[in-house]
Amino acid sequence: MTAIYGVPLQALFGQLLLGLINGSFYAVLSLGLAIIFGLLNNINFAHGAQYMMGAFAAWMLLNYAGLGFWWALILAPLLVGLFGIVLERVLISRLYRLDHLYGFLLTFGLALILQGIFQSKYGVSGLAYAIPGELAGGQRLPFMFLPNYRVFVIVASLAVCLSVWLAIEKTMLGAYLRAATENPALVAAFGVNVPLLLTLTYGGGVALAAFAGVLAAPIYSVNPNMGADIIIVVFAVVVIGGMGSILGSVVTGYALGLVEGLTKVFYPEGSATVIYVIMALVLLIKPAGLFGRTN
Amino acid sequence: MSGASTTDAVTDAALARETKSDRTLHALIFVGLAMAVAIAPFLLYPVLVMKILCFALFALAFNLLLGYGGLLSFGHAAFFGMAGYVCAYAAKVWGLTPELAILCGTAVSALLGFVLGSLAIRRQGIYFAMITLALAQMIYFISLQAKFTGGEDGIQGVPRGKLFGLLDISSDLALYAVTAVIFFAGFLAIYRIIHSPFGQVLRAIRDNEPRMISLGYRVGRYKLIVFVLSATIAGLAGSTKALVFQLASLTDVHWAMSGEVVLVTLVGGMGTVFGPVAGAAVIVAMETYLAQFGASVMIMQGSVFVVCVMLFREGIVGRLARLFRVSL
């Protein structure tokens, strides 16, 4: 029993693990997008660029300040989140009264600028970022080799998704956030500072993207194009899942990562397009998305 | 959701009141434009002007969808680029004459527009933009992997051939004349569509979709038709560009190209008749000029996006129209 349908078990499990890793990034990124969209009604096109910035922040902290992976895991989301807060205050908040498409175009422009800046400074070949020493090596299982760091990425992303869900469902601030998503005018009438809530939500969503970026740095090389490559896939994930439910976007993220991994094993040529094909099918069968509400 | 209604309020109100004098003004501008296009190749590098004309036609097609249909497609590169591939393949491998090659590219683009459009119109507003972007990315990967597109190399050395098998158009000036005719044919077709009863229904759907549904209009059908029309003309522009540069490559199916056509339309003025042409001239000129200094096109485009969205949402022609209180 070392092969299924002619595919060696090792290759199968290897790709499934890789799929789960990709799924972790899809989940964290679509979670951030969904939270921002829920409150701001704005699709944050710069989400990919902010994920890329998270990876670069980790690299810079190591190479310019000598701070390692664990510091980066805390500091990079804070720094990039702060940057997001500035963006929201200075630019994005001025467009709330206009059609949401303008917010989409603005963040697209911001994504281009950020990607362009990092490209002209660091090139497009990518920079290496070592796996932290504590997580080097791996476990030799009977059917595959399991690198410790990859297990850590899956556990860490699950933990973050779970704590974000808890924060939204079980805390006072989360209650405000849910209420403001339903009816911002009413929440403002109760004396809640809604503009501040919007700013913090955007900052939080951006910090999530940066967190994913730090996790991604040791796996993929730190590259200015890494954000643009992933964000369109995440858009498809979001269309498939529908942005109505937080849990929905997380589950869809992991599931699609796994599907992508499986496709790589059984039909490698289709692995780049499988998520878009699934999106097309979902649009045919359930246009609102698997977890979406029609409005 | 109403696409560009916020900025178009001014121009749109003007369009509703569009008078005979406005039509005369449009006719005059068309004549002026035709004269400018006739003189341009003797003053500027013809290939540069042809590039502007192709981009202008592409943006006009895009503006038909966004400015009048209220649908923001972020995947129009799929039509532009795929039509270019098909046209280049037909001209080079099948050895078709240029007009047949362009026809092939345009037809495939129309078909692709029908397939992608039927999927995308199932959602509205921001979802529509994300879906078109994702579907176009699928087309990009297909172009990267398929055999006939030549992958990373693209299709190079496409022959310009003989028009109708008779007229040799391999010289820049001869091809320029063909490109100019295609541009004006496409432009006039779009002008006619905008000013037809169909165009009026389209604008009404953009401004108030629920009301049009309750009035008994089959909104989905109108959206699909305008999507296919837009894809077809974008394909016409892409096919022509493939002959002009004798090249079809991944650049034209990439998401950056989809972003560029949005930028061209935004700069020129969404929902204006002449805006996309002005936008194409400005953006192509700016990129050509900046490229000499090796500046990052990406940073430039991003900055123009941010400045336009924050401060200049009506675009060049939109601003002019408001200034002179005419409909342009």
Side-chain angles (χ1 to χ4, degrees):
Chain A
M1 257 299 277
T2 51
I4 298 177
Y5 298 118
V7 174
L9 267 185
Q10 267 177 328
L12 179 66
F13 281 106
Q15 288 299 342
L16 280 182
L17 180 68
L18 204 63
L20 213 53
I21 298 275
N22 282 336
S24 307
F25 295 125
Y26 297 159
V28 176
L29 288 175
S30 59
L31 177 65
L33 266 188
I35 293 173
I36 293 175
F37 180 76
L39 199 55
L40 279 68
N41 265 321
N42 184 358
I43 287 292
N44 182 31
F45 211 127
H47 217 67
Q50 285 146 353
Y51 158 83
M52 176 268 290
M53 282 176 79
F56 264 100
W59 186 88
M60 288 172 173
L61 284 170
L62 182 68
N63 287 282
Y64 299 148
L67 294 171
F69 177 79
W70 301 105
W71 279 107
L73 209 51
I74 301 166
L75 286 178
L78 278 179
L79 290 172
V80 182
L82 215 60
F83 172 74
I85 285 178
V86 174
L87 279 187
E88 197 275 345
R89 278 290 83 204
V90 177
L91 298 171
I92 300 170
S93 60
R94 293 172 203 274
L95 298 175
Y96 288 148
R97 267 178 250 149
L98 299 175
D99 198 299
H100 307 312
L101 295 177
Y102 286 112
F104 189 68
L105 295 183
L106 173 74
T107 47
F108 177 71
L110 291 173
L112 283 182
I113 296 176
L114 292 172
Q115 193 179 340
I117 289 174
F118 280 92
Q119 263 183 15
S120 47
K121 185 117 174 48
Y122 296 97
V124 288
S125 47
L127 308 163
Y129 188 90
I131 291 176
E134 298 85 345
L135 294 169
Q139 312 299 322
R140 199 166 289 283
L141 301 183
F143 47 87
M144 69 179 296
F145 179 73
L146 191 62
N148 286 341
Y149 183 74
R150 307 219 156 176
V151 179
F152 169 76
V153 167
I154 296 169
V155 172
S157 63
L158 274 174
V160 160
C161 290
L162 189 70
S163 35
V164 169
W165 181 76
L166 282 176
I168 290 175
E169 292 295 325
K170 305 289 175 201
T171 67
M172 201 57 200
L173 196 65
Y176 285 154
L177 193 124
R178 277 179 290 135
T181 303
E182 291 290 326
N183 191 335
L186 202 60
V187 175
F190 282 127
V192 175
N193 188 344
V194 173
L196 183 67
L197 201 59
L198 292 172
T199 308
L200 290 179
T201 305
Y202 188 77
V206 171
L208 272 177
F211 180 81
V214 178
L215 285 182
I219 295 188
Y220 316 118
S221 66
V222 178
N223 191 314
N225 299 337
M226 63 194 287
D229 291 340
I230 202 170
I231 191 66
I232 304 180
V233 182
V234 173
F235 282 166
V237 170
V238 157
V239 171
I240 293 169
M243 282 186 290
S245 102
I246 297 219
L247 220 54
S249 54
V250 172
V251 172
T252 317
Y254 284 105
L256 286 172
L258 279 177
V259 169
E260 210 180 28
L262 277 177
T263 318
K264 252 180 210 144
V265 178
F266 293 103
Y267 184 60
E269 297 84 2
S271 62
T273 44
V274 64
I275 290 190
Y276 306 115
V277 174
I278 293 175
M279 182 188 80
L281 290 177
V282 168
L283 283 171
L284 282 175
I285 297 159
K286 197 167 180 296
L290 298 178
F291 299 89
R293 289 172 295 184
T294 21
N295 46 349
Chain B
M1 223 191 273
S2 55
S5 56
T6 355
T7 46
D8 286 343
V10 182
T11 43
D12 201 49
L15 196 61
R17 291 195 309 270
E18 201 172 71
T19 55
K20 225 171 191 167
S21 68
D22 279 329
R23 296 292 178 97
T24 320
L25 180 66
H26 290 179
L28 282 175
I29 294 175
F30 266 114
V31 171
L33 204 59
M35 281 179 1
V37 168
I39 301 168
F42 302 105
L43 302 175
L44 299 160
Y45 181 45
V47 174
L48 179 72
V49 188
M50 284 193 273
K51 186 178 178 187
I52 293 177
L53 290 179
C54 290
F55 270 100
L57 187 58
F58 183 26
L60 283 164
F62 173 80
N63 185 44
L64 174 65
L65 189 62
L66 172 64
Y68 297 93
L71 300 168
L72 172 61
S73 158
F74 229 93
H76 251 47
F79 311 118
F80 189 68
M82 189 48 89
Y85 275 126
V86 173
C87 173
Y89 191 84
K92 190 179 176 185
V93 182
W94 294 340
L96 292 186
T97 51
E99 76 285 351
L100 288 180
I102 288 178
L103 206 64
C104 283
T106 311
V108 168
S109 185
L111 200 68
L112 193 63
F114 178 78
V115 175
L116 301 195
S118 345
L119 288 169
I121 59 165
R122 290 171 162 260
R123 298 300 303 270
Q124 287 153 342
I126 212 83
Y127 277 100
F128 183 88
M130 287 197 288
I131 291 166
T132 44
L133 178 63
L135 290 172
Q137 189 75 352
M138 179 168 78
I139 300 296
Y140 173 81
F141 280 115
I142 291 172
S143 307
L144 184 66
Q145 291 172 338
K147 285 241 162 53
F148 88 99
T149 57
E152 302 268 1
D153 300 329
I155 305 178
Q156 299 173 358
V158 180
R160 287 174 176 176
K162 290 181 170 163
L163 197 64
F164 305 114
L166 299 168
L167 286 162
D168 187 18
I169 53 166
S170 51
S171 81
D172 278 351
L173 273 184
L175 187 64
Y176 183 88
V178 176
T179 310
V181 168
I182 290 174
F183 167 76
F184 276 105
F187 197 172
L188 288 172
I190 288 173
Y191 189 80
R192 190 69 209 102
I193 294 168
I194 293 168
H195 291 85
S196 68
F198 172 79
Q200 281 181 334
V201 175
L202 216 54
R203 280 200 297 281
I205 293 172
R206 178 195 72 192
D207 292 339
N208 197 336
E209 189 172 333
R211 176 184 270 181
M212 290 307 276
I213 294 172
S214 70
L215 283 173
Y217 284 93
R218 298 193 180 187
V219 171
R221 205 172 273 186
Y222 278 91
K223 284 186 184 174
L224 184 57
I225 292 173
V226 74
F227 196 95
V228 173
L229 285 172
S230 174
T232 309
I233 299 171
L236 179 63
S239 305
T240 313
K241 182 175 178 263
L243 283 189
V244 169
F245 287 93
Q246 303 185 285
L247 169 75
S249 71
L250 284 172
T251 319
D252 291 348
V253 267
H254 195 249
W255 57 262
M257 183 58 74
S258 298
E260 193 163 336
V261 75
V262 180
L263 182 65
V264 164
T265 310
L266 182 68
V267 168
M270 295 188 283
T272 62
V273 175
F274 298 99
V277 183
V282 168
I283 295 293
V284 172
M286 207 189 258
E287 282 172 9
T288 313
Y289 182 71
L290 284 179
Q292 294 171 346
F293 303 105
S296 160
V297 172
M298 218 171 212
I299 298 180
M300 185 280 282
Q301 287 185 345
S303 315
V304 177
F305 251 115
V306 171
V307 170
C308 279
V309 169
M310 296 309 295
L311 305 169
F312 196 59
R313 284 183 287 272
E314 51 195 355
I316 298 168
V317 173
R319 173 66 60 90
L320 288 174
R322 191 162 58 102
L323 217 59
F324 296 109
R325 298 182 184 202
V326 285
S327 151
L328 289 173

